[in-house]
Amino acid sequence: MTEKTELRGLLPEEMAQTLQEWGHPAYRGKQIFKWVQSRAVREAAEMTDLPQALRSKIEAERWLRPLALSCCRVSKDGTEKYLWQLADGELIETVLMPYRRSQTRDRVTVCLSTQAGCPLGCKFCATGQQGFRRNLTAGEIVSQVLDITHRKGQSDPDFKVTNLVFMGMGEPFLNYEQVRRAIELFTHPEGQNIGQRRITVSTSGIVPGIERFARENWEINLALSLHAADDQLRSQWMPVNRQYPIEKVLNACRRYWEQGRRRLSVEYALIEGVNDRLEDARQLGKLFTRWPIHLNVIPVNPVTESGARRPDKARMVQFLDELKRQGIDAVIREERGVDIEAACGQLRGAAHGEGET
């Protein structure tokens, strides 16, 4: 790490190294880390227990670089979608989903982006139709939570993100090192201190990434975006399947399950006239015979370029019932933020130049 790496992408000991080069004691690294990661400050001036000279140095070096909010939309169901502008002008999206509970504490989930755009080109995904720009740094990934926390904390000092899903723009396993570092930062006891079991990483089936993920000494959840039960159909809608077909992907996912005994989640976007037949549900059942998974049936968000449309509710229920007859633990995922284009890539594609709300 160098001193040009943004503060939000550094661990305390890495901060300490640069601070010592600047002539400041190493213990300041722990102080700064707590300000940045736990308290989510956006300016060095807020770090009130640091010497003024050090705060000025941090500002002069632009060592702390928060995201710029381009747009925020709030759904009638409480979902919030953020469009951020990065330092180089690229735009990324983040979704905040609050879940209110009566007897247990509220759950606040943030859906994170890991890339600006996406190289995989899945036909039903708005991000995939926009192409790939670049990988995000760990600091940019972490900043999505920190800047939401700072913003929400202005009116609610007790605001806390409790759950993370790496399901936003991009393929996490094509940016493995930065995603790994972001997880290390999110789970650090002096930072956001989010429990590993409250984190889910989603992949479209990058086999080397799944295999590496299985070897990590983690309790983090894995979700597979499958969306079809046979290679021909999956390759039509998800070009990545040509390189990593279903059998190879599921073999890697099984190793993840066998390594940590964490149940695999499977995401299945239901597309009218494409993958919503009862026969498709039966094929899914055959793929996961005697394998404990949880399958989320997701009504596809319409994408103009592909013509993808969601089935009607009766068709979805029939599909779900057939999955259950096949012994699959499946649910129709609750839709969030439909009225604010909360699906991946929709806001970025529609809101270039739109002002903050």
Side-chain angles (χ1 to χ4, degrees):
M1 290 294 159
T2 70
E3 61 185 68
K4 290 185 179 180
T5 299
E6 56 218 325
L7 268 180
R8 288 172 165 183
L10 295 176
L11 294 165
E13 54 271 23
E14 294 166 338
M15 295 180 187
Q17 181 177 351
T18 296
L19 290 168
Q20 287 180 302
E21 294 172 0
W22 289 354
H24 294 273
Y27 73 82
R28 296 290 187 195
K30 291 184 178 180
Q31 289 178 285
I32 295 173
F33 185 86
K34 192 164 185 178
W35 278 111
V36 170
Q37 296 293 341
S38 179
R39 299 174 181 171
V41 300
R42 288 172 55 88
E43 298 179 2
E46 298 177 72
M47 305 179 193
T48 53
D49 59 355
L50 299 186
Q52 180 59 52
L54 178 53
R55 283 182 273 168
S56 298
K57 177 69 171 176
I58 292 171
E59 292 287 358
E61 295 289 331
R62 293 193 68 250
W63 210 20
L64 177 57
R65 300 194 290 273
L67 305 180
L69 182 63
S70 177
C71 175
C72 176
R73 292 183 179 175
V74 181
S75 169
K76 59 187 178 183
D77 65 18
T79 300
E80 299 180 11
K81 183 154 192 180
Y82 295 83
L83 185 68
W84 308 104
Q85 186 174 55
L86 307 181
D88 60 358
E90 294 294 343
L91 297 173
I92 62 169
E93 300 174 353
T94 313
V95 180
L96 170 69
M97 296 169 285
Y99 297 86
R100 302 301 179 190
R101 296 178 172 180
S102 57
Q103 296 181 341
T104 59
R105 68 172 180 167
D106 291 346
R107 177 160 57 97
V108 179
T109 298
V110 168
C111 181
L112 296 161
S113 292
T114 57
Q115 297 177 309
C118 182
L120 297 185
C122 298
K123 289 184 179 179
F124 52 81
C125 176
T127 299
Q129 302 307 304
Q130 297 168 16
F132 174 68
R133 303 296 296 173
R134 67 171 175 84
N135 285 330
L136 301 188
T137 66
E140 289 167 336
I141 296 171
V142 170
S143 287
Q144 295 169 66
V145 168
L146 299 184
D147 284 327
I148 288 175
T149 298
H150 184 276
R151 178 180 170 92
K152 301 291 287 185
Q154 303 303 303
S155 58
D156 179 9
D158 295 326
F159 176 84
K160 169 73 175 172
V161 172
T162 63
N163 294 68
L164 301 174
V165 290
F166 287 80
M167 295 182 180
M169 295 172 59
E171 165 56 58
F173 287 162
L174 293 181
N175 189 17
Y176 197 101
E177 289 296 338
Q178 297 303 308
V179 168
R180 190 186 194 285
R181 170 168 283 265
I183 289 172
E184 190 174 4
L185 292 165
F186 280 131
T187 57
H188 196 287
E190 296 298 319
Q192 289 292 301
N193 194 26
I194 297 173
Q196 289 189 6
R197 294 190 177 190
R198 294 180 177 271
I199 300 175
T200 299
V201 178
S202 176
T203 180
S204 295
I206 306 299
V207 169
I210 297 170
E211 292 177 336
R212 182 176 176 184
F213 188 80
R215 295 192 296 269
E216 301 280 6
N217 187 26
W218 283 343
E219 293 185 321
I220 293 172
N221 305 295
L222 178 66
L224 171 66
S225 295
L226 187 62
H227 310 310
D230 70 86
D231 283 319
Q232 182 178 358
L233 180 60
R234 193 169 191 262
S235 294
Q236 289 175 8
W237 287 83
M238 301 180 68
V240 68
N241 194 75
R242 298 164 193 162
Q243 182 175 5
Y244 301 115
I246 292 174
E247 183 178 3
K248 289 184 178 180
V249 172
L250 294 188
N251 285 341
C253 288
R254 187 176 286 275
R255 286 191 285 275
Y256 158 82
W257 172 67
E258 291 172 345
Q259 184 78 17
R261 312 307 277 184
R262 300 288 292 165
R263 184 171 64 161
L264 176 72
S265 292
V266 177
E267 313 292 321
Y268 191 95
L270 209 58
I271 308 171
E272 182 183 43
V274 175
N275 64 354
D276 62 342
R277 302 170 304 159
L278 297 184
E279 177 58 29
D280 294 311
R282 297 185 189 108
Q283 284 184 287
L284 273 175
K286 292 177 182 178
L287 288 179
F288 298 106
T289 301
R290 295 185 296 276
W291 185 3
I293 68 160
H294 177 76
L295 195 146
N296 288 306
V297 177
I298 308 164
V300 71
N301 286 285
V303 177
T304 303
E305 292 83 356
S306 68
R309 299 185 304 272
R310 62 183 58 188
D312 60 31
K313 186 61 179 284
R315 186 69 166 175
M316 288 189 282
V317 171
Q318 289 176 350
F319 191 88
L320 185 68
D321 289 343
E322 183 60 34
L323 285 174
K324 292 180 177 179
R325 279 193 287 271
Q326 298 297 314
I328 301 296
D329 175 21
V331 297
I332 298 175
R333 178 186 283 175
E334 177 186 359
E335 296 182 78
R336 301 294 301 255
V338 174
D339 56 318
I340 59 167
E341 298 179 299
C344 179
Q346 288 184 323
L347 186 55
R348 177 179 181 266
H352 282 269
E354 189 169 328
E356 180 178 342
T357 61

